[in-house]
Every structure is written in structure tokens, then in C-alpha cells.
Amino acid sequence: METTTKPFSIEKVKTSKIDQVDFDNLNFGSVFTDHMLVCDYKNGVWETPKIMPYQAISLEPSAKIFHYGQSIFEGMKAYKDGNGDVWMFRPMDNFKRFNISANRMAIPELPENFFIEGLRTLITLDKKWIPQKEGSSLYIRPFMFASGKGFHASPADEYKFIICLAPSGAYFSGKVKVLIEETYSRAANGGVGYAKAGGNYAGQFYPTQLAVKKGYNQVIWTDDNTHEYIEEAGAMNIFVRINDTLITGPTSDRILDGITRKSILKIAEDEGITTEVRKISVSEVVAAAKDGSLKEMFGAGTAAVVSPIAAFGYKETDYDLPELSDSYAERLKKRITDIQFNRTEDPFGWRFKV
Ligand SMILES: *Cc1c(COP(=O)(O)O)cnc(C)c1O
């Protein structure tokens, strides 16, 4: 891939907005730092990235993103340790997945240095915005989409790659109640479920709204063919603990290959926990809930980290999960966040200094 060696241009804000932010009461992803990175793809090449004040962008109404949804994103975090050093977690994995998503949506691949050096430069510039309060972090949103114009249903000829940063509090507050889906599907065989493509999320909103009306926070998606197997949640992979075995479904073209998922599997093995990667049927989970062998269920993803599930609904019945004093979710969450915040050794080489 052709890439520039020119330094990124940087235009700084005249006055920072940081004083207007209440860092003790942050929501998830709703305030943005002073700067953003923007990079344009034109005439078959990615131009040199520009860092500029966070601002609105202008697009033609015929830009293909609006009509055909050619759009992908990533979700990452930056963490500040007690010494004020800043870390990312496995950013090369996000970069690789970004281009896997790009390929599936016929978007041109992004050069590695625009992603990695772009993140480094932008995060360093807005370093003051990284929250240090427990449970908070700087959420990072790299995304790219079709900015080229035309109503012809074909890939655009121009794209934009943008990175925005959002100091964020916890994604969920408290435990989650989920509904196991029996009607709608998130992804299909041969589809785009493995890509972080915008439309995958839009398609989930309506079934999720129905679940929220019934008192649930999230839908657990099942396979599109039979609805008999548990797949994943909206933006989290799912783990189930039956007796002392920790189980998660295999990734496929319907299930996103989560970085938190594979990190949790590694840490669990390191902790001596028995793990299984295999299909999990809903009937198995319901039977385990009934006979008491279902100890835990939790979601795993960058935004929510490890998110314990308090109860699940299936066929008009709710099943409560027990309160455990020795929960895997707690233990694994502590290990992964200790690595992310540079509070412990990182035997796996996952931390990446910004
Ligand atoms: C982003 C995402 C995840 C979690 O992936 P991480 O790399 O752990 O953040 C899981 N499922 C879906 C559908 C996602 O979009």
C-alpha cells in the first residue's frame, strides 16, 4: 500500500473545552476531546492525515454513506496509570480487524501507520482528557465511511477515515438483564456479522427496543437458522459458566472476533480455569439454570469490559443467576483491567505504550 512519510499536519484548538467537562459524572461516549484526526481517500490514495479541532464535517446529500451504508468502525480505549503514562490494549488487533471489516464492505484498506501513529499522535495531544477515576477511560472511535457521491449502488470513489476520542464512564451501570432472542437475527451465514459495519448495529435497534419495553437491557442473539444456539450480544461476546467450566461460542462469519473475548480466554487458562470454545445451546443453558449448575453468564467487550448478567429471559420465563462470592467475571475483569491500567505484569505482551 502506498503511504506518505510526510508528518501529519496538526491544527490545535485556541481554547480547550476541558474545563466544561464534569469528569466525576461521565456517561459513555457523549463528550468529545478537543481534537480529531481526519484522513481522506481520493484518486485512489489515502492522503496525509490531519489533526484538527473537533468539529462538524460537511458531506453532499448524495454521499454513499447515507444511501448504501458503506461504513465501519472500531472501539478501543486508552488508559492512564498512576505515573501518568498512557497505554493502549492490543491496538494492532484492532487495526487488523479494521481492514478485515473494510474488505468486507469494499472500502479501501487503511495503511497501518495512519491508524497506529494517528492514534498515538491524537491521544498524546489530548492526553489531559484521559480520566483517571476507577471505571472510567478514554474511549477511542476510529471509523471510515463512503464520502464519495452518487446514487449508483456501487462502492464510492472517496472515503473518510476519522478518529474521535470520548472520555467515558462505565457502559452499563449495574448488572444486566438480557433476553434470549427467538425471532430476529443479528447476522446470517455469508453475511457481515464478523465486520464492525454500521448497519449491523442499526439492525439491532428495533428488536432491542422491543426487549427494553419488556424490561431487559440487551438482546442475546441466537443463530439465524434455528435460534437454538447462543451467539453474542449487541457489542459483547458471551461467556457462560456451567459448574466450573467457562464456555464461549466459536467465532464465525456471524460472530465478531472480540479482542476482549480472546484475552479473557487466555487469562482464564492462565488462572487454571477450564475453558471450552464450542456451540452453546439455549436448551443447555435453560437446563443448567433449572438444575443450579449455571453459575454465571457475562458479556465481554471493550466498551463494557466484563459485564455480569443478573438474569436472562427466554420464552416468557425469567431465570435469575446466583450471586457468587468467587465469580469468574470479577476475577477475570480484575486481571484484564490490571493489565490495561499497568497495575500488574503483562505476561502476554498486550500493553502498548502511547
Ligand atoms: C465490538 C464488538 C464486540 C467486542 O469486541 P472487542 O474487540 O472485545 O471490543 C463483540 N461483539 C460485537 C458485535 C461487537 O461489535
Side-chain angles (χ1 to χ4, degrees):
M1 163 122 356
E2 211 180 319
T3 92
T4 180
T5 49
K6 276 191 282 181
F8 304 172
S9 71
I10 301 181
E11 182 201 339
K12 290 190 190 168
V13 290
K14 296 205 175 66
T15 9
S16 174
K17 303 171 296 200
I18 198 163
D19 296 339
Q20 299 162 24
V21 178
D22 177 3
F23 279 85
D24 287 326
N25 292 295
L26 287 171
N27 295 322
F28 183 83
S30 54
V31 290
F32 307 98
T33 65
D34 285 327
H35 301 94
M36 65 183 191
L37 178 143
V38 179
C39 181
D40 283 301
Y41 180 88
K42 282 183 183 158
N43 306 313
V45 287
W46 284 104
E47 298 178 347
T48 308
K50 299 184 198 89
I51 289 176
M52 59 179 77
Y54 179 89
Q55 60 192 270
I57 53 172
S58 144
L59 293 171
E60 293 214 18
S62 66
K64 291 199 180 190
I65 171 64
F66 298 132
H67 308 277
Y68 306 121
Q70 248 190 314
S71 167
I72 60 161
F73 67 93
E74 267 304 324
M76 314 170 67
K77 282 177 174 173
Y79 312 88
K80 199 185 270 180
D81 69 20
N83 297 323
D85 286 329
V86 179
W87 305 88
M88 283 191 281
F89 186 71
R90 310 185 77 173
M92 276 305 291
D93 293 56
N94 293 93
F95 168 68
K96 285 182 195 145
R97 189 171 65 192
F98 199 51
N99 276 342
I100 289 171
S101 299
N103 276 312
R104 183 63 182 84
M105 301 310 285
I107 296 173
E109 281 188 12
L110 188 80
E112 179 185 317
N113 68 323
F114 286 10
F115 192 91
I116 299 290
E117 290 314 311
L119 285 166
R120 264 199 157 128
T121 315
L122 183 64
I123 293 168
T124 305
L125 190 62
D126 282 341
K127 186 175 164 180
K128 276 209 283 255
W129 288 79
I130 306 174
Q132 265 177 307
K133 197 182 162 203
E134 186 61 42
S136 299
S137 57
L138 186 73
Y139 187 75
I140 305 167
R141 173 51 59 87
F143 60 107
M144 59 185 178
F145 60 89
S147 51
K149 59 191 175 182
F151 292 149
H152 194 273
S154 55
D157 56 358
E158 294 184 2
Y159 296 85
K160 270 186 195 298
F161 167 60
I162 299 181
I163 309 175
C164 295
L165 309 175
S168 295
Y171 193 81
F172 290 115
S173 48
K175 284 202 171 185
V176 244
K177 194 174 162 189
V178 299
L179 179 66
I180 298 182
E181 183 60 56
E182 296 166 60
T183 308
Y184 297 98
S185 300
R186 190 192 88 90
N189 286 321
V192 302
Y194 68 91
K196 276 185 118 74
N200 279 341
Y201 305 84
Q204 299 184 58
F205 293 164
Y206 175 65
T208 305
Q209 278 177 337
L210 298 179
V212 168
K213 272 193 204 141
K214 292 184 183 169
Y216 300 94
N217 308 92
Q218 274 272 321
V219 168
I220 301 288
W221 300 101
T222 47
D223 72 287
D224 62 307
N225 193 20
T226 66
H227 295 290
E228 278 172 20
Y229 293 94
I230 286 186
E231 302 226 300
E232 60 172 326
M236 296 188 294
N237 296 105
I238 291 291
F239 284 81
V240 174
R241 172 181 174 186
I242 297 181
N243 292 316
D244 286 337
T245 304
L246 188 63
I247 315 162
T248 191
T251 55
S252 67
D253 56 0
R254 298 186 310 272
I255 300 186
L256 194 107
D257 185 3
I259 295 161
T260 318
R261 171 188 173 279
K262 64 183 181 188
S263 306
I264 289 288
L265 277 173
K266 259 264 180 297
I267 294 173
E269 283 158 21
D270 194 60
E271 293 267 310
I273 294 171
T274 307
T275 61
E276 285 177 10
V277 176
R278 61 163 174 87
K279 286 164 81 173
I280 310 164
S281 70
V282 182
S283 51
E284 176 186 7
V285 172
V286 169
K290 285 181 178 161
D291 73 17
S293 57
L294 180 67
K295 304 284 190 222
E296 290 180 66
M297 284 173 74
F298 59 85
T302 299
V305 198
V306 171
S307 182
I309 293 169
F312 72 88
Y314 183 63
K315 291 203 193 293
E316 311 297 323
T317 307
D318 279 353
Y319 300 85
D320 288 326
L321 281 111
E323 288 279 343
L324 297 182
S325 52
D326 59 339
S327 101
Y328 286 175
E330 282 306 314
R331 214 161 118 193
L332 296 167
K333 181 176 183 175
K334 180 167 190 319
R335 279 254 353 236
I336 196 168
T337 50
D338 280 351
I339 293 174
Q340 289 166 335
F341 282 89
N342 190 29
R343 293 190 288 243
T344 52
E345 292 294 289
D346 172 20
F348 313 103
W350 291 335
R351 262 194 313 257
F352 179 93
K353 194 154 194 235
V354 172

